[in-house]
């Protein structure tokens, strides 16, 4: 069984949503987070002259702006080999140190699962 097969249906869903956001918007990263009620928030990288945010920080900001009070999980689809500390910190701020962060490649293959902590 592969790592992706070991994931819950809901975790596979946020990886798929993140992958779709990355492809649809032709951005370096796509991300999705799931809040305490099961709602999902999906975002891509923001790269403007006056504002630069990773996809994961953007997804967390969207969750906060929509009234989420906690996170169950987060996923990011990227070419990067690791989730930056700043991104994990944003997830930790809303979801806590134990919140899982799924790191997947552009093809949706799970590379790692880390915690926000």
């Amino acid at each position: 069984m592969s790592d992706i097969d070991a994931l819950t249906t809901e975790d596979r869903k946020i990886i798929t949503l993140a992958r779709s956001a990355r492809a649809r918007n032709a951005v370096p990263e796509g991300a999705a987070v799931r809040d305490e009620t099961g709602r999902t928030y999906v975002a891509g990288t923001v790269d403007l002259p006056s504002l630069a945010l990773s996809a994961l920080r953007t997804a967390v900001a969207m969750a906060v702006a929509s009234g989420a009070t906690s996170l169950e999980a987060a996923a990011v689809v990227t070419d990067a080999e690791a989730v930056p500390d700043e991104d994990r910190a944003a997830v930790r701020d809303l979801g806590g140190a134990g919140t899982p962060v799924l790191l997947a490649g552009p093809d949706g293959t799970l590379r790692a699962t880390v915690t926000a902590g």
Side-chain angles (χ1 to χ4, degrees):
M1 179 167 34
S2 70
D3 289 339
I4 194 79
D5 293 333
L7 294 174
T8 68
T9 301
E10 292 302 309
D11 287 347
R12 285 192 301 271
K13 175 182 170 183
I14 62 173
I15 289 173
T16 299
L17 290 170
R19 186 174 180 222
S20 296
R22 181 181 186 268
R24 179 179 56 252
N25 297 317
V27 292
E29 298 176 339
V33 298
R34 185 175 61 248
D35 75 7
E36 74 283 359
T37 67
R39 291 180 297 182
T40 56
Y41 306 88
V42 182
T45 308
V46 174
D47 190 11
L48 300 172
S50 64
L51 179 64
L53 291 172
S54 71
L56 191 50
R57 284 182 271 168
T58 304
V60 170
M62 291 173 65
V64 170
S66 296
T69 59
S70 185
L71 294 178
E72 291 181 350
V76 61
V77 173
T78 180
D79 285 323
E81 296 296 321
V83 180
D85 291 342
E86 298 85 1
D87 287 5
R88 291 177 47 235
V91 172
R92 183 175 57 246
D93 286 348
L94 186 56
T99 306
V101 180
L102 311 169
L103 173 65
D107 64 353
T109 300
L110 182 66
R111 291 186 181 155
T113 301
V114 297
T115 62

